[in-house]
Amino acid sequence: AQSVTQPDARVTVSEGASLQLRCKYSYSATPYLFWYVQYPRQGLQLLLKYYSGDPVVQGVNSFEAEFSKSNSSFHLQKASVHWSDSAVYFCALSPTNSAGNKLTFGIGTRVLVRP
Amino acid sequence: EAAVTQSPRSKVAVTGGKVTLSCHQTNNHDYMYWYRQDTGHGLRLIHYSYVADSTEKGDIPDGYKASRPSQENFSLILELASLSQTAVYFCASSGDRGGQNTLYFGAGTRLSVL
């Protein structure tokens, strides 16, 4: 069975500072990996995804993530955060051998950006 | 733009009562999903469907039924609501390109069972 671990439940950063959110996964092969963001009282929205090729993927709002097969990780980064980046961020995994997209999510990391 | 609409946005139900959560998508997607969100658990898959009139069990289906009467509509049914089913429920849809697909989520339904 696959799993996703987000070790940090909450992260607080100052506006303009850099941000890194950690994600580790467990799966028998290389999975499809995703980062979703949930703003207050909204559904989840896709930030970026990885399924092959360049291990560094670019997403919306200047977010990027780096896939590491050796470390089973898919960490999310942003060079300079804005107050509007305050949200809950979810890392998710999808098996490569299934139809549809039955995601397995981490518990999420709540990010608070201080002005 | 992809659109998934859930109704109601919030609901208070009594223990033992029947609850129906509705979802409508205008994305022309084959796949639809129901997830529940609990603090400390992230989102967990309850049921999903890849074609009308057919549903599949997800990871936590106990206590829930699903119905897909058409491509656009997908309902989640709690026949006998229990306190443990208090959560936020999200519906999502996706296309048919396998695990690479982006899921498009609705805004969620906050269910409180008293």
Side-chain angles (χ1 to χ4, degrees):
Chain A
Q2 62 264 23
S3 66
V4 175
T5 301
Q6 294 179 250
D8 304 308
R10 290 177 179 269
V11 171
T12 300
V13 295
S14 298
E15 194 167 24
S18 64
L19 174 69
Q20 184 188 67
L21 302 181
R22 296 181 290 166
C23 174
K24 299 270 287 184
Y25 69 87
S26 175
Y27 183 63
S28 56
T30 298
Y32 300 123
L33 293 162
F34 304 78
W35 277 99
Y36 282 83
V37 60
Q38 183 181 27
Y39 298 106
R41 294 173 298 283
Q42 297 184 28
L44 282 69
Q45 304 169 35
L46 180 71
L47 275 180
L48 47 77
K49 62 183 175 182
Y50 171 82
Y51 50 87
S52 68
D54 190 338
V56 179
V57 291
Q58 306 295 324
V60 299
N61 295 336
S62 302
F63 281 95
E64 69 174 34
E66 183 168 6
F67 167 69
S68 171
K69 185 174 182 178
S70 61
N71 294 322
S72 298
S73 67
F74 189 53
H75 300 330
L76 181 71
Q77 300 175 88
K78 186 170 184 177
S80 177
V81 296
H82 186 263
W83 64 266
S84 60
D85 293 322
S86 294
V88 181
Y89 293 80
F90 291 95
C91 182
L93 170 161
S94 177
T96 53
N97 60 351
S98 68
N101 192 348
K102 301 180 290 293
L103 293 177
T104 297
F105 285 87
I107 64 171
T109 298
R110 183 176 298 277
V111 173
L112 175 63
V113 179
R114 295 180 303 198
Chain B
E1 184 171 323
V4 179
T5 305
Q6 294 182 232
S7 61
R9 289 297 310 276
S10 66
K11 183 173 180 64
V12 179
V14 296
T15 304
K18 182 177 181 178
V19 177
T20 300
L21 308 182
S22 300
C23 179
H24 178 79
Q25 57 108 349
T26 59
N27 306 325
N28 197 33
H29 285 162
D30 289 327
Y31 284 82
M32 295 187 75
Y33 313 81
W34 277 106
Y35 284 88
R36 67 175 278 174
Q37 183 180 31
D38 301 275
T39 303
H41 285 282
L43 278 76
R44 293 178 290 174
L45 181 64
I46 306 170
H47 286 288
Y48 66 99
S49 168
Y50 56 86
V51 68
D53 296 322
S54 177
T55 64
E56 305 291 335
K57 295 180 179 179
D59 298 324
I60 54 164
D62 293 346
Y64 302 94
K65 289 174 54 179
S67 173
R68 182 92 181 270
S70 64
Q71 186 194 39
E72 298 81 13
N73 295 293
F74 191 38
S75 297
L76 185 68
I77 303 154
L78 289 66
E79 295 278 4
L80 295 170
S82 67
L83 294 173
S84 65
Q85 294 177 311
T86 292
V88 180
Y89 292 84
F90 288 99
C91 177
S93 72
S94 73
D96 58 358
R97 288 190 300 126
Q100 301 178 30
N101 283 309
T102 297
L103 262 64
Y104 294 89
F105 285 85
T109 296
R110 185 173 297 274
L111 175 64
S112 297
V113 182
L114 306 178

